[in-house]
Amino acid sequence: MTNLSPTLELAVDLIQRPSVTPHDAGCQDVLAQRLECLDFSVTRLPFGEVENFWARRGSQGPLLVFAGHTDVVPTGPETHWEAPPFGGLVKDGVLHGRGAADMKSSLAAFMTACERFVEKHQNHSGSIGWLITSDEEGHAVNGTVKVVEYLESIGEKIDWCIVGEPSSTHTVGDVVKNGRRGSLGANLKIKGIQGHVAYPHLADNPIHKAVPALTALAAEHWDEGNEFFPATSFQISNINGGTGATNVIPGELDIMFNFRFSTELTYQQLQARTRQILQHHHLDFDLEWRLFGQPFLTSRGPLVEAAQLAIKQVRNIDTQLSTSGGTSDGRYIAPTGAQVLELGPCNATIHRVNEQVLVSEVEHLTHIYETMLERLLL
């Protein structure tokens, strides 16, 4: 491959490093070295086996941060791929490889946007930061959340944050995520009494007892949503009960479910209403909760406006604000008071075999980031 643009060349280099979560495979070394050449101060922040770093150029506010991750999900059988997943093949205007969309192209676009901006504006106002982890695709316990805790402890306050997650749907810039729904998971155990199916009066079938309660939970109208969020949804994701024998009434039923919730409700309200429904059906149960992320929203303001104007200038399209999709590391950054946006390439092939992005998307993306830097820090 010859005659690659600086952005594409860096994206290929990053894709060729097999950084399956939580491993970084040297990606952060490449990024940190280039940032140091731009007079960024780089602080390595490893936690456990996870590599992270924080970098900053400038000492004054406002602080605009580029946030992202170097880790990728596993490839699955490589024989199912049309091109080697860590080959970084560029062919017929398409960049192929694991991480091409999620999110090594964004990292490359961050970098070249910063390099061009700093070269032209050595004495820009405010500061530029980078927050990078290798633990976004995994358990996400030693990554961004720990870096944010570190930044809070030293008094670093992020004003604006661009997360490079693949936000676009049909063409780069058509959708920007200005928030995400909260995610609340639960493990529910319904208790009964095991017995023989021929003697049901001597047993207590937890499956039969659970069905009306689960139906009520699925039918419950939790809220109306609002301008930016759809109504809260409840989804059962797993049910497991029984011994495998047709003639045994099980003694327990295990259920997993998840709420994706808006800013109209708190997770405590969801927990309380769920418990009330279960108690109304006179169930004997244990319930364990896990809060994966709070909902967050960046309403219209300087960051949203900068993104919309930059996309209009570079792509000549009007962008749509959205809070759809799953969670992202923005959920750890937004509670600090930062305005957070997710802006990246198209997400059609993320986590799939033959992940890919158009080369033109990558080039558009770096110019969008550069234009946002100019609008916010000049």
Side-chain angles (χ1 to χ4, degrees):
M1 293 177 289
T2 59
N3 300 321
L4 300 183
S5 72
T7 308
L8 201 56
E9 186 175 16
L10 177 56
V12 168
D13 183 8
L14 295 175
I15 290 170
Q16 289 176 341
R17 299 170 185 270
S19 54
V20 177
T21 189
H23 303 294
D24 172 68
C27 294
Q28 293 184 25
D29 290 335
V30 172
L31 299 174
Q33 289 168 10
R34 290 177 71 148
L35 290 173
E36 288 171 341
C37 292
L38 298 176
D39 295 325
F40 278 78
S41 175
V42 178
T43 303
R44 301 289 191 141
L45 296 167
F47 295 102
E49 60 181 344
V50 175
E51 297 293 329
N52 310 285
F53 76 78
W54 164 251
R56 177 166 179 161
R57 185 183 199 274
S59 58
Q60 303 299 316
L63 172 58
L64 170 61
V65 170
F66 293 99
H69 59 92
T70 54
D71 59 316
V72 298
V73 295
T75 64
E78 295 193 13
T79 54
H80 293 177
W81 288 66
E82 295 176 3
F86 296 113
L89 174 66
V90 179
K91 183 180 179 181
D92 298 329
V94 177
L95 171 61
H96 301 262
R98 177 59 85 222
D102 189 14
M103 56 172 284
K104 291 183 174 180
S105 291
S106 295
L107 296 175
F110 283 167
M111 182 62 70
T112 53
C114 286
E115 288 173 339
R116 289 194 304 270
F117 177 77
V118 169
E119 181 181 3
K120 291 186 287 187
H121 309 287
Q122 286 283 333
N123 299 315
H124 61 82
S125 63
S127 300
I128 308 171
W130 277 57
L131 193 167
I132 305 297
T133 182
S134 65
D135 188 32
E136 196 274 345
E137 299 289 9
H139 297 298
V141 296
N142 285 318
T144 298
V145 62
K146 290 286 184 67
V147 178
V148 168
E149 290 173 359
Y150 164 78
L151 296 179
E152 291 280 281
S153 72
I154 63 173
E156 287 272 30
K157 287 295 181 183
I158 300 171
D159 295 286
W160 305 309
C161 182
I162 304 170
V163 184
E165 290 292 343
S167 63
S168 304
T169 302
H170 301 295
T171 185
V172 68
D174 62 350
V175 176
V176 169
K177 308 287 188 182
N178 67 320
R180 291 282 190 163
R181 293 176 294 173
S183 177
L184 176 65
N187 292 321
L188 171 65
K189 182 183 293 292
I190 308 294
K191 301 176 184 178
I193 298 174
Q194 183 174 311
H196 196 291
V197 296
Y199 303 94
H201 59 288
L202 300 178
D204 186 15
N205 195 321
I207 298 176
H208 293 184
K209 293 170 61 177
V211 168
L214 296 179
T215 300
L217 286 168
E220 179 75 1
H221 185 75
W222 301 95
D223 62 24
E224 297 286 349
N226 56 38
E227 177 187 2
F228 292 103
F229 290 94
T232 293
S233 70
F234 166 87
Q235 291 294 320
I236 298 170
S237 53
N238 192 280
I239 296 180
N240 184 42
T243 64
T246 63
N247 61 351
V248 179
I249 295 171
E252 294 180 341
L253 177 66
D254 293 308
I255 303 159
M256 297 176 66
F257 60 84
N258 181 273
F259 287 101
R260 292 301 165 102
F261 63 104
S262 74
T263 50
E264 294 296 302
L265 287 173
T266 66
Y267 74 91
Q268 294 97 332
Q269 289 172 314
L270 288 172
Q271 289 174 337
R273 287 172 61 179
T274 299
R275 186 170 288 277
Q276 287 172 357
I277 291 171
L278 296 173
Q279 291 172 340
H280 175 76
H281 287 82
H282 307 292
L283 298 179
D284 184 9
F285 65 92
D286 290 330
L287 187 56
E288 296 181 355
W289 296 96
R290 182 178 177 188
L291 180 64
F292 294 97
Q294 294 273 28
F296 69 90
L297 179 69
T298 296
S299 55
R300 292 174 177 85
L303 185 61
V304 169
E305 181 178 325
Q308 291 174 321
L309 291 173
I311 292 166
K312 186 68 172 179
Q313 180 176 328
V314 175
R315 300 295 333 277
N316 195 30
I317 61 174
D318 295 319
T319 192
Q320 175 187 350
L321 300 177
S322 172
T323 60
S324 64
T327 59
S328 77
D329 275 2
R331 69 189 188 271
Y332 302 125
I333 301 168
T336 68
Q339 295 180 31
V340 179
L341 278 184
E342 298 174 27
L343 171 54
C346 290
N347 54 31
T349 63
I350 60 174
H351 293 204
R352 292 178 58 178
V353 169
N354 299 322
E355 183 178 349
Q356 57 189 255
V357 293
L358 293 176
V359 168
S360 58
E361 286 188 28
V362 182
E363 302 303 336
H364 288 313
L365 199 55
T366 185
H367 290 294
I368 291 170
Y369 293 149
E370 182 183 7
T371 304
M372 291 184 69
L373 280 164
E374 292 171 345
R375 291 189 175 275
L376 292 167
L377 297 183
L378 292 183

